[in-house]
Amino acid sequence: MLFNSFEFLVFFPVVTVLFFILPHRFRWQLLLAASCFFYMFFKPEYILILAFTIVVDYYAGILIESAATSKLKKRYLMISLVANIGVLAVFKYYNFINDNITGLAGLFGWTNPIPALTMLLPVGLSFHTFQAMSYTLEIARGNYRAEKHFGIYALYVMFYPQLVAGPIERPQNMIHQFHEKKEFCYTRVVDGLRLMLWGFFKKIVIADNLATYTDSVYGNLHVQTSIAIVIAVFFFAFQIYCDFSAYTDIARGAARVMGFELVKNFNYPFRSRSVTDFWRRWHMSLTTWFNDYLFTPLVIRNRDSIKWGVVFALMVTFSLSGLWHGAAWTYVVFGVMHGIAMSYEFLTKKSRKRLSKKVPAFIYNPMCQALTFLFVCFTWIFFRAGSMQDAFYVLRRIPGVFTELSNFAVTNSKPIFDGTLNRLGLIYCGMFVILLETIHYLDNKFQIFSRLRTQRALVRWSVYYLTVLVMMFFASATAHKFIYFQF
Amino acid sequence: MNQEQLLKEVNEIFKDVLDNEDVVINFDTVASDVDDWDSLNHIQLIAAIEKAFRIKFTSTEIYQFKNVGEMISSINSKLNP
């Protein structure tokens, strides 16, 4: 089920009302049933994948905890990891690996006899398998006790707000919340609804309108002017931020209404002054996952080769985190570019620190922020382009901007927007981006979101009505899926 | 070497690795209290401490350090078994 669908508009209030009517002891059953229903809207039979990993990880957790030797502990952990990564490998990476084998075989004039699979990618697969793995990993590290209640464990993996696109939770944060009895709390319910409203606004008004523009550019790259392409590259940054952070806000809001707190996933990523900083602010629950379970163990193992151990770990971690997004070389390139940038920042930390002391802060900081933003937009070209060819085509077209601009200044006649694009749509998109950044600026400076809470009813309700009104007027004509659903 | 002296020495290592002369740590200090003490630098600190005291932590020990104090007691137990 999509959050931005009419089904959800019915589903959410029904589930929430039932949740508060039912006595505590039945609530986990309601949430589990609701979560199954939510998931089965996409492709019902795929629930079996979830059932498989839930059963394996539930028993693996208990066995890891009670294992007498550390060798045995490791063995049970391996079973859990192999099951989860195996599911990912089959459903997400099989065709990618197979295609590459075919390509490689072709180089030697051989044919690859292994057939390709035709199946849809299960929604949110990378999210819930990662969340499930963090459960057995935490037990193996002795940080968490295995959950004995099968239903509660299943709910930890399946909790509908964050099942298909995160935030990727940890057992320490979530499982105890399912055991606690949640009371109805008016201010918390309003708080959650407000967060959902802001999420819907970002999705329906900003992300989906920008998507209409970027989709038509990336979909017909060859007929577009360079200016249109460059604008699409920048718009995509705001689109993906609004799309993904909207999902997180709606998920956190929906959970909060019922009394559950999910982890924060975004912290103004476009304010980052370095790529390292960016990954602390963007999709934080994924970054911390990779940090705790891949990067840190790798660095610990190679800690004697001090600097190169860290560089090696950064490259491995970011290549894999690129691949986490999707089974395509474009995502790997995206990850590798970030790995290179992080390594560069790591190796030049001291000299950059010295530089920052020489250059006045009012120049240095905005410059770092701009460079980081440009770099991230650049890497997102690979993220968004359908193929490596498309990505390189975009890169080749970028310098054309200057010729087009000078021609435009001289003749004032060459149309910038060909084909399906129109000026009005572009102006709206630009306005939405400015609106978003203005709201971010105001919140950062004056905490407008938390201050809204304490305003008089008239002020609060005016803001809500205005938001809904803008949503009704400017809602994108086409509802788009959330980008991160495919991961 | 007692715990106080150890703390002093470890503080020097922190200054050196983090490239910041103003770093002051005590037994209760945690990563979030110190600028630049992040996951990138954390293992650098550990490696520098291991080198300086000629000791070796196990990876389980490294995961379980909750603050500077626990790190110091671990160093102490390795130096004075």
Side-chain angles (χ1 to χ4, degrees), chain A residues 287-339:
Chain A
T287 310
T288 49
W289 196 101
F290 272 111
N291 180 42
D292 291 358
Y293 305 128
L294 183 64
F295 176 77
T296 307
L298 276 176
V299 185
I300 288 179
R301 185 167 294 179
N302 301 311
R303 65 185 180 277
D304 292 329
S305 52
I306 311 216
K307 288 207 162 144
W308 297 108
V310 174
V311 170
F312 170 74
L314 280 171
M315 291 312 296
V316 172
T317 306
F318 276 88
S319 312
L320 287 177
S321 98
L323 196 60
W324 175 89
H325 290 88
W329 284 108
T330 43
Y331 293 110
V332 178
V333 170
F334 167 81
V336 167
M337 286 196 287
H338 279 272

Short mmCIF file of all heavy atoms in Angstrom, two decimals, chain A residues 287-339:
data_model
loop_
_atom_site.label_atom_id
_atom_site.label_comp_id
_atom_site.label_asym_id
_atom_site.label_seq_id
_atom_site.Cartn_x
_atom_site.Cartn_y
_atom_site.Cartn_z
N THR A 287 23.30 4.67 7.17
CA THR A 287 24.70 4.98 7.45
C THR A 287 25.15 4.30 8.74
O THR A 287 26.22 3.68 8.77
CB THR A 287 24.91 6.50 7.58
OG1 THR A 287 24.31 7.14 6.47
CG2 THR A 287 26.38 6.85 7.63
N THR A 288 24.34 4.42 9.79
CA THR A 288 24.76 3.82 11.06
C THR A 288 24.79 2.29 10.95
O THR A 288 25.63 1.65 11.56
CB THR A 288 23.86 4.24 12.24
OG1 THR A 288 22.51 4.06 11.84
CG2 THR A 288 24.08 5.68 12.62
N TRP A 289 23.89 1.74 10.14
CA TRP A 289 23.91 0.28 9.94
C TRP A 289 25.24 -0.14 9.32
O TRP A 289 25.94 -1.01 9.84
CB TRP A 289 22.75 -0.14 9.02
CG TRP A 289 22.45 -1.62 9.06
CD1 TRP A 289 21.44 -2.22 9.74
CD2 TRP A 289 23.17 -2.67 8.40
NE1 TRP A 289 21.48 -3.58 9.56
CE2 TRP A 289 22.53 -3.88 8.74
CE3 TRP A 289 24.28 -2.72 7.57
CZ2 TRP A 289 22.96 -5.13 8.28
CZ3 TRP A 289 24.72 -3.96 7.11
CH2 TRP A 289 24.07 -5.15 7.46
N PHE A 290 25.59 0.50 8.22
CA PHE A 290 26.84 0.16 7.55
C PHE A 290 28.04 0.46 8.46
O PHE A 290 29.02 -0.28 8.46
CB PHE A 290 26.98 0.90 6.22
CG PHE A 290 26.36 0.15 5.07
CD1 PHE A 290 25.22 0.62 4.45
CD2 PHE A 290 26.92 -1.03 4.61
CE1 PHE A 290 24.65 -0.08 3.39
CE2 PHE A 290 26.36 -1.73 3.56
CZ PHE A 290 25.23 -1.25 2.95
N ASN A 291 27.95 1.53 9.21
CA ASN A 291 29.04 1.88 10.10
C ASN A 291 29.26 0.80 11.17
O ASN A 291 30.37 0.34 11.38
CB ASN A 291 28.75 3.23 10.77
CG ASN A 291 29.85 3.64 11.71
OD1 ASN A 291 31.02 3.49 11.40
ND2 ASN A 291 29.48 4.14 12.87
N ASP A 292 28.16 0.37 11.79
CA ASP A 292 28.29 -0.57 12.90
C ASP A 292 28.64 -1.98 12.47
O ASP A 292 29.38 -2.68 13.15
CB ASP A 292 26.98 -0.61 13.71
CG ASP A 292 26.75 0.68 14.45
OD1 ASP A 292 27.62 1.57 14.37
OD2 ASP A 292 25.69 0.81 15.10
N TYR A 293 28.08 -2.42 11.35
CA TYR A 293 28.21 -3.84 11.02
C TYR A 293 29.19 -4.14 9.90
O TYR A 293 29.53 -5.28 9.66
CB TYR A 293 26.83 -4.42 10.66
CG TYR A 293 25.81 -4.20 11.73
CD1 TYR A 293 24.58 -3.63 11.44
CD2 TYR A 293 26.09 -4.54 13.06
CE1 TYR A 293 23.65 -3.39 12.44
CE2 TYR A 293 25.16 -4.31 14.06
CZ TYR A 293 23.94 -3.74 13.75
OH TYR A 293 23.02 -3.52 14.73
N LEU A 294 29.65 -3.12 9.18
CA LEU A 294 30.60 -3.38 8.12
C LEU A 294 31.86 -2.53 8.27
O LEU A 294 32.96 -3.05 8.37
CB LEU A 294 29.95 -3.13 6.74
CG LEU A 294 30.84 -3.46 5.55
CD1 LEU A 294 31.17 -4.94 5.50
CD2 LEU A 294 30.15 -3.05 4.25
N PHE A 295 31.68 -1.21 8.32
CA PHE A 295 32.83 -0.31 8.34
C PHE A 295 33.71 -0.54 9.58
O PHE A 295 34.91 -0.80 9.46
CB PHE A 295 32.36 1.15 8.27
CG PHE A 295 33.47 2.15 8.38
CD1 PHE A 295 34.30 2.40 7.31
CD2 PHE A 295 33.70 2.82 9.56
CE1 PHE A 295 35.34 3.31 7.41
CE2 PHE A 295 34.73 3.74 9.68
CZ PHE A 295 35.55 3.98 8.59
N THR A 296 33.09 -0.46 10.76
CA THR A 296 33.87 -0.59 12.00
C THR A 296 34.59 -1.95 12.11
O THR A 296 35.78 -1.98 12.39
CB THR A 296 32.97 -0.33 13.23
OG1 THR A 296 32.34 0.93 13.04
CG2 THR A 296 33.77 -0.27 14.51
N PRO A 297 33.88 -3.08 11.86
CA PRO A 297 34.63 -4.34 11.91
C PRO A 297 35.79 -4.38 10.93
O PRO A 297 36.86 -4.90 11.27
CB PRO A 297 33.57 -5.39 11.52
CG PRO A 297 32.28 -4.76 11.85
CD PRO A 297 32.44 -3.30 11.66
N LEU A 298 35.61 -3.81 9.74
CA LEU A 298 36.70 -3.79 8.76
C LEU A 298 37.87 -2.95 9.26
O LEU A 298 39.02 -3.35 9.13
CB LEU A 298 36.21 -3.20 7.43
CG LEU A 298 35.50 -4.14 6.46
CD1 LEU A 298 35.02 -3.35 5.25
CD2 LEU A 298 36.43 -5.26 6.02
N VAL A 299 37.57 -1.79 9.83
CA VAL A 299 38.66 -0.92 10.31
C VAL A 299 39.37 -1.57 11.49
O VAL A 299 40.59 -1.50 11.61
CB VAL A 299 38.13 0.47 10.73
CG1 VAL A 299 39.28 1.37 11.10
CG2 VAL A 299 37.36 1.10 9.61
N ILE A 300 38.59 -2.21 12.36
CA ILE A 300 39.22 -2.86 13.51
C ILE A 300 40.19 -3.94 13.04
O ILE A 300 41.31 -4.04 13.52
CB ILE A 300 38.13 -3.46 14.45
CG1 ILE A 300 37.40 -2.33 15.17
CG2 ILE A 300 38.76 -4.42 15.45
CD1 ILE A 300 36.31 -2.79 16.09
N ARG A 301 39.75 -4.69 12.05
CA ARG A 301 40.60 -5.77 11.55
C ARG A 301 41.90 -5.21 10.94
O ARG A 301 42.95 -5.80 11.09
CB ARG A 301 39.82 -6.59 10.53
CG ARG A 301 40.59 -7.79 10.05
CD ARG A 301 39.70 -8.75 9.31
NE ARG A 301 38.69 -9.35 10.17
CZ ARG A 301 37.78 -10.20 9.72
NH1 ARG A 301 37.74 -10.51 8.44
NH2 ARG A 301 36.89 -10.71 10.52
N ASN A 302 41.78 -4.10 10.23
CA ASN A 302 42.96 -3.56 9.53
C ASN A 302 43.55 -2.35 10.24
O ASN A 302 44.11 -1.47 9.61
CB ASN A 302 42.57 -3.14 8.11
CG ASN A 302 42.01 -4.30 7.32
OD1 ASN A 302 42.61 -5.36 7.30
ND2 ASN A 302 40.87 -4.10 6.72
N ARG A 303 43.41 -2.29 11.58
CA ARG A 303 43.78 -1.04 12.23
C ARG A 303 45.28 -0.79 12.29
O ARG A 303 45.71 0.32 12.53
CB ARG A 303 43.17 -0.96 13.63
CG ARG A 303 43.67 -1.98 14.64
CD ARG A 303 42.85 -1.82 15.91
NE ARG A 303 43.20 -2.72 16.96
CZ ARG A 303 42.77 -3.96 17.08
NH1 ARG A 303 41.99 -4.47 16.14
NH2 ARG A 303 43.11 -4.71 18.11
N ASP A 304 46.08 -1.82 12.05
CA ASP A 304 47.53 -1.59 12.13
C ASP A 304 48.07 -0.87 10.90
O ASP A 304 49.09 -0.20 10.96
CB ASP A 304 48.25 -2.92 12.34
CG ASP A 304 47.94 -3.46 13.72
OD1 ASP A 304 47.72 -2.62 14.62
OD2 ASP A 304 47.90 -4.68 13.89
N SER A 305 47.36 -1.02 9.79
CA SER A 305 47.79 -0.28 8.60
C SER A 305 47.08 1.07 8.58
O SER A 305 46.59 1.54 7.55
CB SER A 305 47.47 -1.06 7.34
OG SER A 305 46.11 -1.44 7.34
N ILE A 306 47.05 1.66 9.75
CA ILE A 306 46.32 2.88 10.12
C ILE A 306 45.49 3.54 9.02
O ILE A 306 44.30 3.28 8.92
CB ILE A 306 47.29 3.89 10.77
CG1 ILE A 306 48.06 3.11 11.84
CG2 ILE A 306 46.52 5.07 11.32
CD1 ILE A 306 48.39 3.79 13.08
N LYS A 307 46.09 4.38 8.19
CA LYS A 307 45.29 5.18 7.26
C LYS A 307 44.68 4.35 6.15
O LYS A 307 43.52 4.51 5.81
CB LYS A 307 46.13 6.30 6.67
CG LYS A 307 46.40 7.35 7.71
CD LYS A 307 46.64 8.69 7.12
CE LYS A 307 46.45 9.74 8.20
NZ LYS A 307 47.35 10.86 8.07
N TRP A 308 45.48 3.46 5.57
CA TRP A 308 44.97 2.70 4.42
C TRP A 308 43.90 1.73 4.84
O TRP A 308 43.03 1.38 4.04
CB TRP A 308 46.12 2.04 3.67
CG TRP A 308 47.01 3.12 3.14
CD1 TRP A 308 48.25 3.47 3.57
CD2 TRP A 308 46.65 4.09 2.12
NE1 TRP A 308 48.70 4.58 2.89
CE2 TRP A 308 47.74 4.98 2.00
CE3 TRP A 308 45.52 4.30 1.33
CZ2 TRP A 308 47.75 6.06 1.12
CZ3 TRP A 308 45.52 5.35 0.45
CH2 TRP A 308 46.62 6.22 0.34
N GLY A 309 43.93 1.31 6.09
CA GLY A 309 42.86 0.45 6.60
C GLY A 309 41.53 1.17 6.54
O GLY A 309 40.51 0.60 6.14
N VAL A 310 41.53 2.45 6.90
CA VAL A 310 40.30 3.24 6.87
C VAL A 310 39.86 3.47 5.43
O VAL A 310 38.69 3.32 5.09
CB VAL A 310 40.49 4.60 7.60
CG1 VAL A 310 39.27 5.48 7.44
CG2 VAL A 310 40.80 4.37 9.07
N VAL A 311 40.81 3.80 4.55
CA VAL A 311 40.46 4.04 3.15
C VAL A 311 39.87 2.78 2.53
O VAL A 311 38.83 2.83 1.85
CB VAL A 311 41.71 4.51 2.35
CG1 VAL A 311 41.42 4.53 0.85
CG2 VAL A 311 42.15 5.88 2.83
N PHE A 312 40.51 1.65 2.80
CA PHE A 312 40.00 0.38 2.28
C PHE A 312 38.56 0.14 2.77
O PHE A 312 37.67 -0.17 1.99
CB PHE A 312 40.92 -0.76 2.74
CG PHE A 312 40.40 -2.13 2.47
CD1 PHE A 312 40.38 -2.65 1.19
CD2 PHE A 312 39.89 -2.91 3.51
CE1 PHE A 312 39.88 -3.93 0.94
CE2 PHE A 312 39.37 -4.18 3.27
CZ PHE A 312 39.38 -4.70 1.98
N ALA A 313 38.37 0.33 4.08
CA ALA A 313 37.04 0.11 4.66
C ALA A 313 36.02 1.07 4.06
O ALA A 313 34.87 0.69 3.78
CB ALA A 313 37.09 0.27 6.17
N LEU A 314 36.41 2.32 3.83
CA LEU A 314 35.48 3.30 3.23
C LEU A 314 35.08 2.86 1.83
O LEU A 314 33.90 2.92 1.46
CB LEU A 314 36.14 4.68 3.16
CG LEU A 314 36.15 5.51 4.43
CD1 LEU A 314 37.02 6.74 4.26
CD2 LEU A 314 34.73 5.91 4.83
N MET A 315 36.05 2.42 1.04
CA MET A 315 35.75 2.03 -0.33
C MET A 315 34.82 0.82 -0.37
O MET A 315 33.85 0.80 -1.12
CB MET A 315 37.04 1.74 -1.12
CG MET A 315 37.91 2.95 -1.41
SD MET A 315 37.04 4.37 -2.09
CE MET A 315 36.48 3.74 -3.65
N VAL A 316 35.12 -0.17 0.46
CA VAL A 316 34.26 -1.37 0.49
C VAL A 316 32.86 -0.98 0.95
O VAL A 316 31.85 -1.33 0.32
CB VAL A 316 34.85 -2.44 1.44
CG1 VAL A 316 33.87 -3.58 1.63
CG2 VAL A 316 36.17 -2.96 0.90
N THR A 317 32.78 -0.21 2.04
CA THR A 317 31.48 0.14 2.61
C THR A 317 30.63 0.92 1.61
O THR A 317 29.46 0.62 1.42
CB THR A 317 31.67 0.99 3.89
OG1 THR A 317 32.52 0.28 4.77
CG2 THR A 317 30.34 1.24 4.57
N PHE A 318 31.24 1.93 0.97
CA PHE A 318 30.42 2.75 0.08
C PHE A 318 30.09 2.07 -1.24
O PHE A 318 29.02 2.30 -1.79
CB PHE A 318 31.05 4.14 -0.09
CG PHE A 318 30.66 5.03 1.03
CD1 PHE A 318 31.40 5.08 2.19
CD2 PHE A 318 29.48 5.76 0.98
CE1 PHE A 318 31.01 5.85 3.27
CE2 PHE A 318 29.07 6.54 2.06
CZ PHE A 318 29.84 6.58 3.19
N SER A 319 30.98 1.20 -1.74
CA SER A 319 30.61 0.44 -2.93
C SER A 319 29.40 -0.42 -2.62
O SER A 319 28.44 -0.49 -3.40
CB SER A 319 31.76 -0.46 -3.39
OG SER A 319 32.94 0.26 -3.43
N LEU A 320 29.44 -1.08 -1.47
CA LEU A 320 28.32 -1.96 -1.13
C LEU A 320 27.06 -1.16 -0.80
O LEU A 320 25.95 -1.59 -1.11
CB LEU A 320 28.69 -2.87 0.04
CG LEU A 320 29.66 -3.99 -0.33
CD1 LEU A 320 30.03 -4.81 0.90
CD2 LEU A 320 29.05 -4.91 -1.39
N SER A 321 27.24 0.02 -0.19
CA SER A 321 26.03 0.79 0.11
C SER A 321 25.43 1.32 -1.19
O SER A 321 24.22 1.49 -1.28
CB SER A 321 26.33 1.90 1.12
OG SER A 321 26.53 3.13 0.49
N GLY A 322 26.26 1.56 -2.20
CA GLY A 322 25.72 1.90 -3.52
C GLY A 322 24.90 0.74 -4.07
O GLY A 322 23.76 0.90 -4.49
N LEU A 323 25.49 -0.44 -3.99
CA LEU A 323 24.83 -1.64 -4.51
C LEU A 323 23.58 -1.97 -3.71
O LEU A 323 22.64 -2.57 -4.23
CB LEU A 323 25.82 -2.82 -4.44
CG LEU A 323 25.48 -4.05 -5.26
CD1 LEU A 323 25.38 -3.72 -6.73
CD2 LEU A 323 26.53 -5.14 -5.04
N TRP A 324 23.56 -1.58 -2.45
CA TRP A 324 22.37 -1.80 -1.61
C TRP A 324 21.15 -1.17 -2.28
O TRP A 324 20.06 -1.73 -2.24
CB TRP A 324 22.59 -1.15 -0.22
CG TRP A 324 21.39 -1.20 0.69
CD1 TRP A 324 21.07 -2.19 1.56
CD2 TRP A 324 20.35 -0.22 0.79
NE1 TRP A 324 19.90 -1.89 2.21
CE2 TRP A 324 19.43 -0.69 1.76
CE3 TRP A 324 20.08 0.99 0.16
CZ2 TRP A 324 18.29 0.01 2.11
CZ3 TRP A 324 18.94 1.69 0.52
CH2 TRP A 324 18.07 1.20 1.48
N HIS A 325 21.34 0.00 -2.91
CA HIS A 325 20.21 0.71 -3.51
C HIS A 325 19.60 -0.05 -4.68
O HIS A 325 18.40 -0.08 -4.83
CB HIS A 325 20.63 2.10 -3.97
CG HIS A 325 20.91 3.02 -2.84
ND1 HIS A 325 22.13 3.13 -2.25
CD2 HIS A 325 20.10 3.87 -2.16
CE1 HIS A 325 22.07 4.01 -1.26
NE2 HIS A 325 20.86 4.47 -1.18
N GLY A 326 20.46 -0.60 -5.51
CA GLY A 326 19.90 -1.29 -6.65
C GLY A 326 20.94 -2.13 -7.33
O GLY A 326 22.14 -1.90 -7.19
N ALA A 327 20.46 -3.14 -8.05
CA ALA A 327 21.37 -4.06 -8.71
C ALA A 327 21.74 -3.50 -10.08
O ALA A 327 21.21 -3.94 -11.10
CB ALA A 327 20.72 -5.43 -8.83
N ALA A 328 22.59 -2.49 -10.11
CA ALA A 328 23.02 -1.92 -11.39
C ALA A 328 24.35 -1.23 -11.17
O ALA A 328 24.65 -0.77 -10.07
CB ALA A 328 22.00 -0.92 -11.92
N TRP A 329 25.16 -1.15 -12.24
CA TRP A 329 26.48 -0.53 -12.12
C TRP A 329 26.38 0.95 -11.78
O TRP A 329 27.27 1.51 -11.16
CB TRP A 329 27.30 -0.74 -13.39
CG TRP A 329 27.81 -2.15 -13.46
CD1 TRP A 329 27.38 -3.14 -14.28
CD2 TRP A 329 28.83 -2.73 -12.63
NE1 TRP A 329 28.06 -4.30 -14.01
CE2 TRP A 329 28.96 -4.08 -13.00
CE3 TRP A 329 29.63 -2.24 -11.60
CZ2 TRP A 329 29.86 -4.95 -12.39
CZ3 TRP A 329 30.53 -3.10 -10.98
CH2 TRP A 329 30.63 -4.44 -11.38
N THR A 330 25.27 1.60 -12.21
CA THR A 330 25.13 3.02 -11.91
C THR A 330 25.16 3.26 -10.39
O THR A 330 25.76 4.21 -9.92
CB THR A 330 23.80 3.57 -12.46
OG1 THR A 330 22.78 2.63 -12.19
CG2 THR A 330 23.89 3.81 -13.95
N TYR A 331 24.52 2.37 -9.63
CA TYR A 331 24.50 2.53 -8.17
C TYR A 331 25.88 2.25 -7.58
O TYR A 331 26.28 2.86 -6.59
CB TYR A 331 23.47 1.61 -7.53
CG TYR A 331 22.05 1.98 -7.89
CD1 TYR A 331 21.29 1.18 -8.73
CD2 TYR A 331 21.48 3.14 -7.40
CE1 TYR A 331 19.99 1.52 -9.07
CE2 TYR A 331 20.19 3.50 -7.73
CZ TYR A 331 19.45 2.68 -8.57
OH TYR A 331 18.17 3.04 -8.90
N VAL A 332 26.59 1.29 -8.18
CA VAL A 332 27.94 1.00 -7.69
C VAL A 332 28.83 2.22 -7.91
O VAL A 332 29.57 2.64 -7.01
CB VAL A 332 28.53 -0.24 -8.39
CG1 VAL A 332 29.95 -0.51 -7.90
CG2 VAL A 332 27.65 -1.46 -8.16
N VAL A 333 28.73 2.83 -9.11
CA VAL A 333 29.52 4.03 -9.40
C VAL A 333 29.17 5.14 -8.41
O VAL A 333 30.05 5.81 -7.87
CB VAL A 333 29.29 4.50 -10.86
CG1 VAL A 333 29.91 5.86 -11.10
CG2 VAL A 333 29.87 3.48 -11.83
N PHE A 334 27.88 5.29 -8.15
CA PHE A 334 27.42 6.27 -7.15
C PHE A 334 28.14 6.03 -5.82
O PHE A 334 28.69 6.95 -5.21
CB PHE A 334 25.90 6.14 -6.99
CG PHE A 334 25.33 6.87 -5.81
CD1 PHE A 334 25.09 8.23 -5.86
CD2 PHE A 334 25.03 6.19 -4.63
CE1 PHE A 334 24.56 8.90 -4.76
CE2 PHE A 334 24.50 6.84 -3.53
CZ PHE A 334 24.26 8.20 -3.60
N GLY A 335 28.15 4.79 -5.37
CA GLY A 335 28.78 4.46 -4.09
C GLY A 335 30.28 4.68 -4.12
O GLY A 335 30.85 5.26 -3.20
N VAL A 336 30.92 4.24 -5.23
CA VAL A 336 32.39 4.37 -5.32
C VAL A 336 32.78 5.84 -5.29
O VAL A 336 33.75 6.22 -4.61
CB VAL A 336 32.90 3.68 -6.61
CG1 VAL A 336 34.35 4.07 -6.91
CG2 VAL A 336 32.78 2.17 -6.48
N MET A 337 32.02 6.70 -5.98
CA MET A 337 32.35 8.12 -5.97
C MET A 337 32.29 8.68 -4.56
O MET A 337 33.14 9.49 -4.15
CB MET A 337 31.42 8.90 -6.89
CG MET A 337 31.75 8.67 -8.36
SD MET A 337 30.99 9.88 -9.45
CE MET A 337 29.31 9.39 -9.42
N HIS A 338 31.29 8.25 -3.80
CA HIS A 338 31.20 8.72 -2.41
C HIS A 338 32.35 8.16 -1.58
O HIS A 338 32.88 8.85 -0.71
CB HIS A 338 29.84 8.37 -1.81
CG HIS A 338 28.77 9.34 -2.20
ND1 HIS A 338 28.53 10.49 -1.48
CD2 HIS A 338 27.94 9.37 -3.26
CE1 HIS A 338 27.57 11.17 -2.07
NE2 HIS A 338 27.19 10.51 -3.16
N GLY A 339 32.72 6.91 -1.84
CA GLY A 339 33.86 6.31 -1.12
C GLY A 339 35.14 7.09 -1.38
O GLY A 339 35.91 7.38 -0.46
#
